[in-house]
Amino acid sequence: MTPLRLVTATCAALLVLAFAGGPRWGLAAVCLAALVAVGELWLRALTGEAIPPLTRVGLATVAGLVSLPFLAIVLHVSGIPIAARWVAIGLAVLSGVLGAVVLFRERCGPSPADPRLPATVGAVAIPALLALVAGFGALQAYERLPHPPQPGYTSLALNGWATGIAGPVAIPARGVHVPVRVSSAGRPAATVPLRVRVGARLVSGRPLTVEPGVVRSVDVFVPAPPDGCLHRIEISLGATSTVFYGRGPAAC
């Protein structure tokens, strides 16, 4: 396979790893193929010698795997997060650079130099270099820009035994205490009404103080529904609510 085709195939595989989802076994196969291709580019760039096929595959695999910690160090020093997408992009840039070196070696062999060599090397190396510089510059500029504060929120969720509710709850005649978890962030402390509705009927309501950064567990009393039919039970805290269904002890 020619260097240009090898670089193109490698970059295509790395783009799949960077931006596409899919089964893990499929992505693992693509990742292994990409690393072997990067290792093959390393061999062609450093030696350019004929090596037995089995030995060549082994050396290419090792060279491709060694590229990962090397790239991780470069990303860390550059201040770029060591994430799957950035590693894939970095490997693509490395493939372009190695492809340019391979082309240079092939064109500067025993035969006279091809006058098209500078243009060919530039066509591979300059876009890769520009992509690296532009991406790094854009990341640094984004980090320095002012960012709006994250929107605040108030969260209400079932807690304790109630987190295991997976269907209608049989509520005895004496009612039941349902634990809920209340949390808030990015908003000032406020007193918000905590309400319980069985069907369309409001059965209880009381004020509850919500403080930012504080997670509270609150027991909410839910009375028994009037019959054994299915009833919608809603526990709300201001505009936030959680819902489950329950039945009373009486016949429907």
Side-chain angles (χ1 to χ4, degrees):
M1 183 181 292
T2 64
L4 286 177
R5 291 182 179 179
L6 183 58
V7 171
T8 302
T10 304
C11 290
L14 291 169
L15 285 176
V16 170
L17 293 174
F19 299 103
R24 291 186 176 181
W25 59 266
L27 294 180
V30 174
C31 179
L32 179 59
L35 289 176
V36 173
V38 172
E40 173 65 20
L41 288 170
W42 272 115
L43 292 181
R44 295 189 185 187
L46 296 177
T47 65
E49 299 176 357
I51 302 175
L54 186 60
T55 304
R56 192 174 192 89
V57 171
L59 290 175
T61 303
V62 172
L65 292 174
V66 170
S67 300
L68 291 177
F70 166 75
L71 185 61
I73 293 173
V74 173
L75 291 175
H76 177 71
V77 172
S78 303
I80 301 175
I82 304 176
R85 178 167 298 180
W86 285 109
V87 170
I89 293 173
L91 286 174
V93 173
L94 177 62
S95 300
V97 174
L98 292 174
V101 175
V102 173
L103 286 174
F104 182 81
R105 286 180 61 92
E106 291 184 352
R107 298 297 174 87
C108 294
S111 59
D114 192 330
R116 296 173 296 176
L117 177 61
T120 304
V121 174
V124 176
I126 292 176
L129 180 61
L130 289 178
L132 180 62
V133 172
F136 180 74
L139 181 64
Q140 296 297 318
Y142 176 78
E143 290 182 349
R144 292 188 177 93
L145 289 174
H147 300 287
Q150 295 294 324
Y153 70 89
T154 298
S155 172
L156 175 70
L158 297 175
N159 197 26
W161 66 265
T163 58
I165 294 177
V169 177
I171 301 178
R174 65 179 182 276
V176 65
H177 287 87
V178 178
V180 295
R181 184 179 68 253
V182 177
S183 61
S184 178
R187 291 182 178 177
T191 300
V192 186
L194 178 64
R195 299 186 178 98
V196 178
R197 288 183 172 86
V198 177
R201 182 169 60 98
L202 178 65
V203 296
S204 68
R206 61 186 176 93
L208 181 69
T209 301
V210 179
E211 300 178 1
V214 177
V215 179
R216 298 179 58 186
S217 181
V218 180
D219 283 342
V220 178
F221 178 72
V222 177
D227 51 47
C229 296
L230 196 63
H231 293 269
R232 182 177 185 272
I233 299 172
E234 178 184 7
I235 303 173
S236 64
L237 183 66
T240 306
S241 64
T242 183
V243 174
F244 63 96
Y245 289 84
R247 293 188 173 95
C252 182

